[in-house]
Amino acid sequence: MIDQTEETEAIDIRALDERDLKAIIDIDASSSRRRRPEYFRSVFQRSKQSPMQVSLVAEIDGIVTGFVMASLFYGEYGIAEPTASIDAVGVAPDGRRHGVGHVLMRQLLSNLTAVGVTTIRTEVAWSDLALLGFFKNEGFAPAPRLCLELKVAN
């Protein structure tokens, strides 16, 4: 058995760039069983407009094995403090249970703390128990705010 510390030391974290989109789309498709290239391209394009790049990829032996895409907000939605939102996170099937997601989140938290972010938010499908468990293990808890939606008839 490989020591968890040894495994996580082999994970390199760097800023996400455009050349990573294909790998990200593939990793997401392996979990969601659907391909969302337009979504990931639009999130990436929006992140390029931001004054600071906060999205990250994890590599093992030069191969992208995970990613976290996040956005910074300063005072949106009536919230006065700087916050961040996790738009998407994913780990390739062979990288799961090896600390890739944890290392990504640890680096994201470190980067966001350094720029004064006080809160990180995300949304998770109620039925996605694996992702809910991941976020719970990373210290996330239900927010005191509710997300509301209204279906608009076509």
Side-chain angles (χ1 to χ4, degrees):
M1 179 176 208
I2 298 174
D3 177 19
Q4 180 74 23
T5 305
E6 211 174 285
E7 279 187 352
T8 58
E9 287 175 3
I11 302 168
D12 295 316
I13 305 296
R14 64 170 173 77
L16 179 148
D17 70 37
E18 196 160 9
R19 70 178 182 216
D20 301 316
L21 284 175
K22 182 188 179 318
I24 287 169
I25 292 163
D26 291 345
I27 290 168
D28 178 69
S30 73
S31 295
S32 67
R33 293 176 175 61
R34 60 190 165 126
R35 296 191 69 74
R36 305 184 297 163
E38 297 81 17
Y39 170 75
F40 285 103
R41 285 189 191 98
S42 72
V43 171
F44 178 75
Q45 290 303 321
R46 187 178 68 226
S47 75
K48 285 178 29 177
Q49 314 274 322
S50 177
M52 183 173 301
Q53 170 64 270
V54 295
S55 297
L56 304 169
V57 295
E59 291 182 326
I60 297 177
D61 296 329
I63 297 170
V64 175
T65 58
F67 68 93
V68 60
M69 297 179 88
S71 303
L72 291 174
F73 298 98
Y74 292 96
E76 280 79 5
Y77 303 107
I79 300 167
E81 81 273 6
T83 63
S85 172
I86 296 176
D87 301 309
V89 61
V91 176
D94 58 348
R96 295 179 190 151
R97 308 261 184 246
H98 296 285
V100 173
H102 176 69
V103 172
L104 274 165
M105 292 301 295
R106 190 172 55 211
Q107 187 63 57
L108 178 66
L109 181 61
S110 176
N111 293 358
L112 293 173
T113 300
V115 297
V117 168
T118 57
T119 305
I120 304 171
R121 294 184 174 88
T122 194
E123 290 184 16
V124 179
W126 182 250
S127 59
D128 193 338
L129 299 179
L131 191 54
L132 283 168
F134 169 75
F135 280 120
K136 181 178 187 274
N137 288 339
E138 292 301 317
F140 283 74
R145 303 179 88 162
L146 289 175
C147 179
L148 303 174
E149 73 178 18
L150 170 66
K151 297 285 184 189
V152 179
N154 290 333

